[in-house]
Amino acid sequence: MTKVSFIIPAYQVEKYIGDCIKSILNQTKDNFEIIIVDDGSVDNTLEIIREYADRDSRITVIHQENQGVASARNVGIDIAKGEWICFVDGDDFISPFLIEEYLPYLVLENDVCFISYLDVDENRKEISRNCEREKKVISFWDQSDFREFQLATFNRDFKGKYDYHKIKLAMPGKFYRRKFILENNIRFPLGVSTGEDAVFNLYVYRMANRGVGLDVPLYYHRVWKHSVSHKYNSNAEYDFSKLHNELDKFINSDNNPQYFQKALDERKIWSLGFCCILNYCHINNPKPYQKRRQEFLAAYDKYESVIKQVELQNFRIKKQILFWLMKRKQFALINLLCKLLDKN
C-alpha cells in the first residue's frame, strides 16, 4: 500500500511549482504518490505539472476550473490512496528526509503528525523558524491537548501549555491518517478563501485521540509579496465574514459553545486587523485615503461590541499596538503602521 499521498493545490505558481514537486520526488523513502490539483491557473503552472507527470508515474494531475484551494484539497482527499495524507502548497517545498523522519510515527495509534517548518523568502533564504535546528524534540499529544489546540487555533497568541507560534495549528502542513479523515468526514469548507485550513484543523482536533510532533524543520513555507497572506484583497472583509460563519458552525456544534466565545472574539478583532493590512491600508489599494477610512469605520461598526471587550494582553506586542489604535479609530496611525509592517 502507498504510505503517503502528497496533495498539492496549485494556482498561478509557475515560478515555484517545479521546486515543490522536485522536493517531494527527492524523498529518501519512495512509497508515495503525488496528487496535483491545478485550480484553473492561467499561467504555465499546468504545463509544468504535466511535464513532470509525463516523466514520473507517481504523479497524478487533476485540472479544474478555479474553485479555490479548499475545493482543490478536497479533490485530492477523495482520490488519495495513501495511508497518510500530507498537504504541500504549490509555492512551498519539503526536506528530502520528511517521510524518513516521520516513518516511525506514521502508525495506527496516531491520527495526526505535526511538521515543523521554516519561513523562507523567494530565494529560499531563511526568514524565521518555529523549531530548534540543533536538537530533535518529540512531543506526544492526547485529547486534552487537542482541546486546548482548538482554542489556540482561533488565536495563536493564546497563553496555554505550549507556544503556538511554534506549533503551527492552522496550517495544513501535517500528516493526517487518511482513514481518520474519511471516517469523520472532515473536509475543507467550500467557498471559504481565507482560514479554510483553520476550520479543517478544528474538526481534526475535535476528533483526534493521539498526535505527535517533531521539533525539526522539514517543511519550508515560502513567504512572498504575492502570496495570499500578503497581497491586496479588496474583498477581505467579506472573506473573513464567511470564515466567521464557519467558525460559528463549529462552535455551535460543540457540547460547550461558551468555551469558545472569548477565543472567537479574539479571532474577530484579528480579522479586522487583517482587513486593515490586506485592504484598507494596503499599499496597492487604489482608493483615496478618505474612502479607505470610511470603509474601515463601517467595518469597525460591525465589530464594535467585540473590539471594546477584547483584552489586548492576550496578543503579542505588534498586534496589541494595532488593536489599541483600532479601538480608538486612529485610522491615520493604523495606515502608517501597516505601511511600516509591509516594509518589514
Side-chain angles (χ1 to χ4, degrees):
M1 176 182 278
T2 302
K3 193 67 176 177
V4 177
S5 296
F6 288 102
I7 298 174
I8 307 174
Y11 177 71
Q12 304 291 82
V13 285
E14 62 180 2
K15 185 176 179 180
Y16 306 113
I17 190 63
D19 207 16
C20 177
I21 296 171
K22 285 187 288 187
S23 74
I24 301 175
L25 293 176
N26 288 336
Q27 291 297 296
T28 56
K29 301 293 183 180
D30 63 0
N31 190 10
F32 63 84
E33 65 172 350
I34 304 175
I35 300 169
I36 311 175
V37 183
D38 176 73
D39 191 40
S41 299
V42 295
D43 61 2
N44 293 317
T45 297
L46 182 59
E47 288 74 13
I48 295 170
I49 293 169
R50 284 174 170 164
E51 288 176 7
Y52 278 96
D54 288 341
R55 300 196 297 266
D56 198 305
S57 61
R58 293 172 295 181
I59 301 175
T60 298
V61 178
I62 304 294
H63 174 68
Q64 64 179 29
E65 296 301 314
N66 182 248
Q67 299 177 50
V69 67
S71 170
R73 290 186 184 132
N74 288 341
V75 168
I77 292 173
D78 291 339
I79 67 172
K81 299 180 177 66
E83 294 179 59
W84 292 80
I85 289 170
C86 181
F87 300 102
V88 182
D89 286 344
D91 49 357
D92 295 339
F93 57 98
I94 61 175
S95 163
F97 304 105
L98 179 60
I99 295 179
E100 181 178 342
E101 288 279 3
Y102 274 86
L103 205 53
Y105 310 101
L106 299 181
V107 294
L108 183 62
E109 289 77 13
N110 291 319
D111 295 314
V112 56
C113 299
F114 294 70
I115 305 170
S116 294
Y117 71 99
L118 294 177
D119 284 334
V120 299
D121 65 14
E122 295 182 64
N123 301 311
R124 287 179 165 236
K125 182 180 178 181
E126 180 181 327
I127 300 172
S128 64
R129 73 182 71 163
N130 79 327
C131 50
E132 296 295 332
R133 191 194 306 272
E134 294 78 14
K135 60 184 179 180
K136 182 194 297 184
V137 178
I138 305 171
S139 301
F140 297 94
W141 295 303
D142 58 22
Q143 288 180 323
S144 64
D145 294 307
F146 289 128
R147 187 62 168 169
E148 181 170 297
F149 286 5
Q150 292 171 51
L151 285 179
T153 302
F154 286 82
N155 175 17
R156 64 180 178 176
D157 294 344
F158 177 80
K159 296 175 177 64
K161 290 190 287 186
Y162 308 102
D163 182 349
Y164 293 108
H165 286 262
K166 289 186 175 181
I167 306 173
K168 198 72 170 178
L169 294 174
M171 276 185 66
K174 299 170 180 63
F175 287 105
Y176 303 92
R177 188 160 56 84
R178 183 170 66 93
K179 189 175 181 180
F180 163 77
I181 295 297
L182 296 179
E183 287 179 345
N184 290 290
N185 195 29
I186 302 173
R187 295 294 188 277
F188 291 87
L190 296 178
V192 178
S193 57
T194 184
E196 76 292 330
D197 42 4
V199 175
F200 178 87
N201 281 305
L202 280 169
Y203 288 98
V204 168
Y205 304 145
R206 171 181 287 176
M207 305 306 300
N209 291 309
R210 283 195 56 185
V212 63
L214 302 187
D215 195 21
V216 56
L218 297 168
Y219 188 104
Y220 299 87
H221 173 56
R222 202 186 305 263
V223 180
W224 52 297
K225 289 290 184 181
H226 298 291
S227 62
V228 173
S229 60
H230 288 77
K231 69 179 181 180
Y232 169 58
N233 179 7
S234 61
N235 295 315
E237 201 267 326
Y238 174 69
D239 291 343
F240 281 112
S241 70
K242 291 195 292 183
L243 169 62
H244 298 159
N245 289 338
E246 291 296 328
L247 296 177
D248 284 334
K249 287 181 187 177
F250 172 80
I251 291 172
N252 291 330
S253 64
D254 192 82
N255 292 330
N256 181 16
Q258 194 59 36
Y259 177 75
F260 294 98
Q261 191 54 57
K262 180 179 176 182
L264 178 61
D265 290 344
E266 291 170 354
R267 172 69 248 189
K268 287 182 176 180
I269 192 173
W270 177 221
S271 294
L272 181 57
F274 241 121
C275 289
C276 293
I277 294 170
L278 300 179
N279 183 7
Y280 311 132
C281 304
H282 197 282
I283 192 171
N284 292 327
N285 189 328
K287 297 177 183 176
Y289 173 85
Q290 288 299 332
K291 178 65 174 176
R292 293 187 287 114
R293 181 176 180 275
Q294 289 172 4
E295 291 181 352
F296 163 73
L297 293 175
Y300 175 93
D301 289 341
K302 297 177 184 178
Y303 290 85
E304 184 172 12
S305 61
V306 170
I307 292 172
K308 287 183 175 179
Q309 65 188 22
V310 166
E311 299 172 1
L312 296 186
Q313 64 266 28
N314 293 334
F315 299 93
R316 288 194 169 188
I317 187 63
K318 284 185 179 179
K319 293 178 189 174
Q320 286 186 26
I321 296 170
L322 175 59
F323 299 160
W324 188 89
L325 294 173
M326 285 165 47
K327 278 175 173 280
R328 289 153 180 80
K329 304 183 185 181
Q330 295 294 318
F331 184 74
L333 294 176
I334 296 170
N335 193 52
L336 176 60
L337 178 62
C338 290
K339 297 294 190 296
L340 293 174
L341 292 174
D342 182 71
K343 290 181 180 180
N344 294 329

